């Protein structure tokens, strides 16, 4: 796992050409994955996230398309299927600038609970 100068962690994504198809694999998660959710059909001008969590750690990537991810107003990253970023509970994350075909996928360390949000 690599870390940028602002302490943002990236996980490696493996892309394998397999009989003309593209197989994508992620492994060695830094937490036990208890939930996966994905969002599609997001309006270009929508902003998702914009909160922190008490306990939940998340790994975020785009299965398709791209968007931008802002963490703590320090790091702005281009996110697509080659990037996967760890969002720590105290990281305020804003996701925006969605391409029309974007499918955002998130793997989370906790099951869904509104009590875990700090909005
Ligand atoms: P929210 O987490 O606010 O979306 P985002 O962070 O992408 O802006 O969730 C939007 C709605 O979906 C809210 O009503 C809660 C619900 N939700 C679930 O029921 N389960 C989940 O796993 C998630 C992430 C959200």
């Amino acid at each position: 796992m690599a870390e940028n100068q602002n302490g943002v962690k990236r996980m490696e994504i493996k892309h394998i050409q397999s009989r003309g198809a593209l197989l994508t694999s992620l492994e060695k998660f830094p937490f036990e994955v208890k939930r996966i959710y994905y969002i599609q059909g997001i309006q270009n001008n929508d902003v998702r996230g914009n909160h922190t969590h008490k306990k939940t750690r998340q790994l975020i990537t785009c299965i398709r398309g791209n968007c931008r991810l802002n963490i703590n107003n320090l790091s702005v990253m281009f996110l697509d299927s080659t990037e996967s970023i760890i969002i720590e509970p105290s990281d305020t994350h804003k996701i925006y600038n969605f391409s029309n075909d974007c499918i955002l996928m998130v793997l989370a360390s906790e099951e869904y609970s509104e009590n875990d949000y700090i909005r």
Side-chain angles (χ1 to χ4, degrees):
M1 186 157 23
E3 197 169 313
N4 78 6
Q5 70 275 21
N6 296 315
V8 176
K9 298 186 189 82
R10 288 175 63 207
M11 273 193 53
E12 190 194 350
I13 300 189
K14 248 195 266 173
H15 292 285
I16 301 138
Q17 287 296 337
S18 168
R19 299 198 298 281
L22 179 64
L23 188 158
T24 304
S25 127
L26 281 140
E27 58 188 12
K28 299 190 183 128
F29 300 104
F31 51 80
E32 185 193 345
V33 177
K34 293 199 183 144
R35 172 169 52 115
I36 299 173
Y37 62 93
Y38 47 93
I39 312 177
Q40 51 197 310
I42 308 170
Q43 300 297 307
N44 304 100
N45 59 358
D46 202 357
V47 178
R48 306 295 311 206
N50 210 5
H51 54 248
T52 58
H53 287 279
K54 293 178 188 159
K55 194 169 169 206
T56 303
R57 298 182 79 195
Q58 302 188 92
L59 180 153
I60 185 165
T61 186
C62 294
I63 309 182
R64 174 182 288 235
N66 59 71
C67 61
R68 278 181 201 278
L69 169 66
N70 175 317
I71 298 188
N72 298 324
N73 289 325
L74 283 175
S75 271
V76 176
M77 282 154 286
F78 180 79
L79 204 59
D80 64 8
S81 64
T82 66
E83 287 291 345
S84 108
I85 305 289
I86 304 287
I87 298 175
E88 299 294 354
S90 61
D91 287 339
T92 299
H93 50 286
K94 287 180 214 165
I95 312 136
Y96 57 101
N97 241 19
F98 297 93
S99 64
N100 286 334
D101 59 349
C102 185
I103 303 179
L104 191 69
M105 182 174 76
V106 184
L107 281 61
S109 68
E110 309 300 324
E111 290 171 17
Y112 173 73
S113 165
E114 185 58 36
N115 286 334
D116 191 64
Y117 283 71
I118 304 170
R119 294 194 192 267

